[in-house]
Amino acid sequence: MRIVKIALTAALTLLLVASCKEPKYVSKQEYDALVKEYEELQAGSKAIREQHAEQAAAVDRILQQLSQISGSTVTLRTDVEQGTAEMTQVEQIESGLVNIKAQMDELEALSKNNKQLKGVVASLKKVIAEKEAEIEQLKEEIRRKDETITAQHATIEEQSGTIESQNATIAGQQENLRALLAEQAQMLFQAGVDFENLGDEAPEVSLKKNKQKMANFQDNMYQKAIVYYKQAQAAGYPEAAFRISQVEEKLAH
């Protein structure tokens, strides 16, 4: 967004200088080219924000599915202890893990240029690997239904520690997700600030025709700022409400 601001400020300054020297020959083509450049840069910024939102949503889906699998695993472990577990329960859990791993491949492809997301992906892979190892252990126990209740209790105690560790890991990933969402809200708010600043910094011009163009440009920047402030407000950013009312006052003048 800083690049957008610099490009627009430089282009507007050049246009202003040209307007002052030759007021009768202000090129609409130059103005249209400036608007086109601004729209292209804005589209790139929007694509980044959308990608971050897509990444956060993908992580959230995976965490929810891992939580469901953890619940199914707890049930399976109880059934193993009681000697009532069946292989169909294992197959359902393994199917869920296969589905999660497919989603992980897509998420990993999205994390190439995102260091924080790479860390999240690595942690999730570790959780999945631990879960797969645990399921293999439970499968073995199902095949050994003739073991004594004492041996089964010892195994359950050992696996309970593993589940606690996994739940702690999942809780950490949920915190990372909240951090990603907070970062998204911050980005939306900053976009609003950038647009508001562009409106504030619109240069003064002397010709009536140019004044109208600058007034329209300034109003457009303020309206864009309100759009992003409202999105930041919806994402839970506390300062957005004040900035919305501030920009609305500027539009009213």
Side-chain angles (χ1 to χ4, degrees), residues 52-206:
H52 285 178
E54 180 184 356
Q55 292 167 353
V59 172
D60 185 51
R61 286 194 299 271
I62 291 171
L63 288 174
Q64 290 180 11
Q65 292 175 31
L66 276 174
S67 179
Q68 292 173 355
I69 286 177
S70 292
S72 297
T73 304
V74 170
T75 300
L76 176 61
R77 182 179 301 104
T78 301
D79 291 344
V80 169
E81 181 181 6
Q82 295 175 351
T84 60
E86 297 183 3
M87 199 59 70
T88 54
Q89 293 173 265
V90 175
E91 292 170 353
Q92 289 176 352
I93 293 173
E94 289 178 331
S95 177
L97 287 172
V98 168
N99 183 41
I100 289 175
K101 289 173 73 173
Q103 295 178 62
M104 285 292 300
D105 290 340
E106 297 177 1
L107 184 61
E108 188 169 20
L110 294 174
S111 69
K112 291 181 179 179
N113 299 319
N114 188 324
K115 183 177 180 181
Q116 184 179 13
L117 185 59
K118 283 183 179 179
V120 173
V121 169
S123 297
L124 287 173
K125 281 187 171 182
K126 181 180 178 182
V127 173
I128 292 171
E130 291 174 350
K131 184 63 66 178
E132 288 177 325
E134 180 185 359
I135 296 304
E136 286 299 320
Q137 291 176 349
L138 291 174
K139 285 170 68 176
E140 182 61 23
E141 290 197 29
I142 293 173
R143 289 190 291 263
R144 300 197 309 261
K145 286 183 179 179
D146 58 343
E147 289 186 351
T148 62
I149 296 298
T150 302
Q152 290 175 340
H153 277 303
T155 302
I156 293 301
E157 289 179 3
E158 180 181 352
Q159 292 172 347
S160 293
T162 301
I163 286 297
E164 289 179 3
S165 175
Q166 291 173 346
N167 287 339
T169 301
I170 291 174
Q173 301 313 313
Q174 290 173 332
E175 181 61 32
N176 287 338
L177 175 62
R178 284 191 286 270
L180 284 173
L181 294 175
E183 180 181 353
Q184 179 187 4
Q186 170 64 35
M187 289 177 62
L188 291 169
F189 180 80
Q190 186 58 50
V193 171
D194 290 338
F195 278 116
E196 183 180 353
N197 288 341
L198 285 173
D200 291 344
E201 296 171 8
E204 294 289 338
V205 293
S206 58

Side-chain angles (χ1 to χ4, degrees), residues 1 4 38 41-57 180-181 183-192 194-195 224 227-228 231-232:
M1 187 56 67
V4 176
Y38 160 72
L41 291 170
Q42 183 189 23
S45 177
K46 180 180 178 182
I48 292 174
R49 289 191 296 274
E50 290 176 347
Q51 185 182 56
H52 285 178
E54 180 184 356
Q55 292 167 353
L180 284 173
L181 294 175
E183 180 181 353
Q184 179 187 4
Q186 170 64 35
M187 289 177 62
L188 291 169
F189 180 80
Q190 186 58 50
D194 290 338
F195 278 116
K224 293 288 186 183
V227 169
Y228 285 109
Q231 291 179 6

Side-chain angles (χ1 to χ4, degrees), residues 229-246:
Y229 283 147
K230 287 184 177 179
Q231 291 179 6
Q233 184 182 35
Y237 201 85
E239 298 179 24
F242 171 75
R243 298 301 287 260
I244 291 171
S245 62
Q246 187 178 53

